[in-house]
Amino acid sequence: MQNLVGRDLLTLGDLTPDDLQAVLIRAKAQKLAHRNANKAPVATGKSAALIFMKPSLRTRVSFELACRDLGVHPIVMGPQDAFSRSETVHDTVKVLERYVQVIVLRTFAHSHIEEVAKHASVPVVNALTDDYHPCQVLADLLTIKEHKGSLAGIKMAYVGDGNNMTHSLMLGGALAGMHVTVATPVGYEPRADVVTRAQQIAATYGTGASITLHNDPREAVASCDVVVSDTWASMGQEAEHAQRVQAFSGYTVDPSLMERADSRAIFMHCLPAHRGEEVLDEVIDAPYSVVFDEAENRLHAQRAWLSLVL
Ligand code: CP
Ligand code: NVA
């Protein structure tokens, strides 16, 4: 069994393939136990700071419930409360760690959470930054495993903006031995250093994964098992929305694109979805869409992570 006690989760690049398997196995076991109302609070008496510098529905609710299930007291804060009034990151963290045993943070610059982790003596969990969304991808990998039976060798095509989700899907796919194809317009590719990191992970651990970039979504999804999309304008990019809608014309996941995937392919989206932009109703509401399984699995993946690190 992997010993993850005290570990940070800033990006999935922090994990080994064995760490990832340990989290997914724990998540599935706790999910089944949860369904049988057989909850085991493992961290009674501990507290968690859940800090959201950006809006959240799924992440906030699922972390609060994960804490409740584990016997951990969640304290939710917004930008008014933490990192406000010119208080330094150092001072904020030193105060928080006198109260809580884990810090969960959603913020803008990834360097912000890196600074938090540098100062913190308690584990830090990335609840989304501009560059990564590891908790979502833990849930997504659990969802793919449930629907496809395994992860290694699965072909996943991501269509849209090369953003935080893309980066985490590439890193998670690399750890899990998946074939990840990313189709973006020119100029919206994922960061080259993250592509390199994912390829290094695949090579270092010999997972058999591949990472391929495309500009043509129709080529990217050909015969794939999983089609993924995400918003074209992430939180913090609202002012670019109109320009991005133009740039991403042709990148909508519609039924004709899904027809090019394997006939048993599933559709995934971390939500919130912008229906009529990156995905059409006919796809997100289709029987092959697993978007609400992904949302549910946020709870199970994050509860597993907290139970392993606390
Ligand atoms: N998918 C996701 O992280 O949703 P929220 O932004 O609502 O937390
Ligand atoms: N890429 C999106 C994900 C939302 C969960 C964003 O950062 O807004």
Side-chain angles (χ1 to χ4, degrees):
M1 182 44 142
Q2 300 305 110
N3 185 354
L4 293 171
V5 173
R7 287 270 293 275
D8 291 336
L9 179 59
L10 303 194
T11 84
L12 292 177
D14 297 344
L15 304 188
T16 65
D18 286 346
D19 294 337
L20 174 65
Q21 289 312 322
V23 180
L24 297 180
I25 289 166
R26 171 72 65 98
K28 187 68 186 178
Q30 287 182 342
K31 181 174 181 175
L32 295 173
H34 189 72
R35 290 231 165 111
N36 297 331
N38 179 20
K39 295 175 209 166
V42 297
T44 310
K46 296 190 173 169
S47 299
L50 312 181
I51 308 169
F52 291 90
M53 309 299 281
K54 291 175 173 175
S56 173
L57 171 68
R58 282 144 289 267
T59 309
R60 177 185 168 162
V61 174
S62 56
F63 263 113
E64 277 202 61
L65 292 176
C67 286
R68 181 208 58 182
D69 289 348
L70 295 172
V72 175
H73 179 67
I75 301 156
V76 180
M77 284 166 274
Q80 297 275 60
D81 311 304
F83 310 111
S84 66
R85 296 178 290 165
S86 308
E87 191 157 19
T88 64
V89 172
H90 170 272
D91 292 355
T92 306
V93 170
K94 290 295 150 201
V95 168
L96 284 174
E97 66 187 16
R98 296 294 177 106
Y99 301 129
V100 303
Q101 286 69 46
V102 57
I103 296 172
V104 177
L105 173 62
R106 167 168 290 194
T107 190
F108 291 85
H110 190 70
S111 57
H112 182 207
I113 198 165
E114 287 177 332
E115 196 183 348
V116 169
K118 186 179 84 184
H119 295 304
S121 60
V122 297
V124 176
V125 183
N126 181 353
L128 181 147
T129 61
D130 290 346
D131 293 335
Y132 300 99
H133 198 2
C135 292
Q136 179 69 50
V137 172
L138 289 178
D140 289 354
L141 294 178
L142 177 61
T143 308
I144 295 169
K145 209 171 164 186
E146 288 176 339
H147 284 274
K148 294 288 164 195
S150 62
L151 295 173
I154 291 288
K155 292 186 211 155
M156 176 165 69
Y158 174 93
V159 177
D161 184 27
N163 63 12
N164 44 11
M165 277 303 300
T166 325
H167 292 159
S168 291
L169 286 166
M170 292 190 307
L171 295 174
L175 286 171
M178 296 168 69
H179 301 294
V180 183
T181 303
V182 174
T184 69
V186 174
Y188 293 92
E189 291 87 356
R191 263 180 23 208
D193 62 308
V194 185
V195 176
T196 304
R197 176 83 185 108
Q199 287 167 338
Q200 276 170 351
I201 287 172
T204 303
Y205 298 112
T207 65
S210 63
I211 313 292
T212 314
L213 302 194
H214 271 284
N215 296 120
D216 181 354
R218 292 176 63 78
E219 264 186 59
V221 303
S223 308
C224 74
D225 305 298
V226 182
V227 178
V228 190
S229 76
D230 184 22
T231 183
W232 293 336
S234 286
M235 290 179 277
Q237 297 173 330
E238 290 80 3
E240 296 172 32
H241 181 255
Q243 170 209 323
R244 283 172 169 267
V245 167
Q246 280 198 326
F248 287 89
S249 159
Y251 288 79
T252 300
V253 179
D254 59 16
S256 76
L257 195 65
M258 287 302 299
E259 269 171 28
R260 291 183 59 81
D262 183 81
S263 58
R264 288 152 302 169
I266 55 174
F267 171 75
M268 302 184 75
H269 191 305
C270 65
L271 305 177
H274 304 81
R275 291 164 176 257
E277 293 185 10
E278 73 269 12
V279 62
L280 298 190
D281 290 345
E282 294 93 306
V283 170
I284 198 167
D285 295 329
Y288 55 72
S289 168
V290 299
V291 297
F292 300 117
D293 292 345
E294 294 176 76
E296 178 188 338
N297 281 337
R298 295 296 302 277
L299 168 61
H300 306 302
Q302 291 157 195
R303 186 175 51 212
W305 181 262
L306 291 177
S307 74
L308 287 162
V309 300
L310 281 172

